Amino acid sequence: MARVRSYAGVAVPVLALALTATATLSRHQRVSLLEVVQADYVRTARAKGLLQRAVVLKHALRNALLPVATVVGLSLGGLLSGAVLTETIFGFAGIGRTIAEAITARDYVVVQGVTVIVSVGYVLVNLIVDISYAYLDPRVRVNS
């Protein structure tokens, strides 16, 4: 009979994978927002009398999200490599554990297959990030 995991049994692996990504993203968001807040258009929005919250949310935050979107797309590789270790340690069946067992068993077909699947997924996520630039920043839109 299959083992049923409780939510408490999943919390530690999720925290192990999420904390490093969260720390990196929050640091990049802070630096990017501090840089954008000093821009001329933010100063102009403040001079027009807009509330600080409106200035930050509507003018600064949207432009500060571009570097963060890039980091999110690129951090997928780190998340997948962390998943290999996390799944192996906590005994979860997943893509990380599958590739670890295939490497140990020298099952090259499985290793190649998983590598291709992960690579295609990584490229698709980076494509989605690139497309999201046009949504996040109107200056990036393509003129046709």
Side-chain angles (χ1 to χ4, degrees):
M1 183 174 260
R3 268 186 352 191
V4 177
R5 298 196 191 279
S6 66
Y7 290 120
V10 178
V12 175
V14 168
L15 283 173
L17 288 173
L19 284 179
T20 56
T22 304
T24 304
L25 287 176
S26 62
R27 188 179 73 227
H28 277 70
Q29 181 65 47
R30 179 183 181 276
V31 168
S32 180
L33 193 59
L34 287 174
E35 183 178 315
V36 169
V37 166
Q38 296 174 0
D40 290 337
Y41 61 88
V42 174
R43 242 179 306 186
T44 305
R46 281 192 192 128
K48 286 173 29 180
L50 293 176
L51 295 173
Q52 179 69 14
R53 182 177 183 171
V55 170
V56 170
L57 290 177
K58 291 185 180 178
H59 295 281
L61 187 61
R62 191 165 180 186
N63 290 317
L65 283 177
L66 287 177
V68 175
T70 303
V71 171
V72 166
L74 295 176
S75 67
L76 178 69
L79 184 65
L80 288 174
S81 65
V84 173
L85 184 62
T86 305
E87 289 174 2
T88 304
I89 289 173
F90 290 103
F92 289 146
I95 198 161
R97 189 169 177 192
T98 301
I99 198 162
E101 290 174 355
I103 290 170
T104 304
R106 293 185 180 193
D107 191 355
Y108 298 121
V109 175
V110 174
V111 172
Q112 288 176 342
V114 170
T115 303
V116 167
I117 290 170
V118 169
S119 301
V120 168
Y122 189 74
V123 168
L124 287 177
V125 167
N126 281 304
L127 176 67
I128 291 168
V129 167
D130 287 343
I131 292 171
S132 73
Y133 286 168
Y135 174 74
L136 293 173
D137 190 0
R139 298 173 294 174
V140 180
R141 295 212 174 119
V142 177
N143 296 328
S144 35

